[in-house]
Amino acid sequence: MLSTYSAMPTLGVKDLAAARSFYEGTLGFSVSKDDEEGVRYRHGGGDILVYESAYAGTNKATAVSFEVPADKFDTEIGDLRDKGVQFETFDMDGVEWSDGVATMSGMRGVWIADPSGNLISVATPMG
C-alpha cells in the first residue's frame, strides 16, 4: 500500500529562477538534484520538488508545512524577518495574530508565500 512509501511535496512555480533564489537564498535549502524535471531540495525528512507549471500559485491553501521545535521557532522566524520575508495573515476563527504570528489551539505559526504564491507554513507546538 502507498502508506509504506515516502511522499515528496511538489510545488509548481511560475519562474524557476525566481524560485531558486527564494528557496536557496532566502530559505537556505540545498539542491539535492537538478534536472529537466525541476529542482529537488533536501529537507529534514526527504526532498521537495520545485518545478515550472502553468498552474503555479493557484492553490489557496497551505502547500507545505514545516514543524520547528519550540526552542528554535523564534530564531527561525527572526531569520525570515531579517531576510525581508513578509508574513501572510488570514481571517480565521479562533486565531490570534501578533506581528504576523498566529496562535491557535496549541500551536504558533506563520505563513509565507514563495514568488509564485505557494503558501508555506512554519509552525511549532506550544507546550
Side-chain angles (χ1 to χ4, degrees), residues 1-124:
M1 296 304 301
L2 292 178
S3 62
T4 62
Y5 302 102
S6 296
M8 180 174 52
T10 57
L11 296 172
V13 298
K14 297 172 188 170
D15 179 340
L16 193 55
R20 289 188 76 131
S21 176
F22 179 76
Y23 285 95
E24 295 168 31
T26 303
L27 299 185
F29 282 99
S30 297
V31 174
S32 65
K33 185 177 180 184
D34 188 354
D35 60 26
E36 68 279 348
E37 181 181 32
V39 181
R40 288 186 186 200
Y41 292 106
R42 176 64 55 195
H43 67 84
D47 283 349
I48 294 173
L49 173 63
V50 176
Y51 67 101
E52 284 194 11
S53 171
Y55 302 105
T58 59
N59 178 9
K60 300 303 177 199
T62 302
V64 176
S65 296
F66 293 93
E67 186 173 309
V68 176
D71 64 337
K72 306 269 190 217
F73 181 77
D74 289 330
T75 300
E76 292 294 336
I77 297 312
D79 288 347
L80 290 171
R81 285 187 200 279
D82 290 347
K83 292 181 178 181
V85 174
Q86 300 294 309
F87 298 152
E88 305 287 325
T89 58
F90 311 96
D91 186 21
M92 299 188 304
D93 291 336
V95 177
E96 292 183 28
W97 295 95
S98 176
D99 199 22
V101 178
T103 302
M104 66 187 117
S105 58
M107 68 158 281
R108 290 175 62 214
V110 299
W111 281 264
I112 61 176
D114 76 4
S116 295
N118 293 304
L119 292 176
I120 300 167
S121 165
V122 180
T124 190

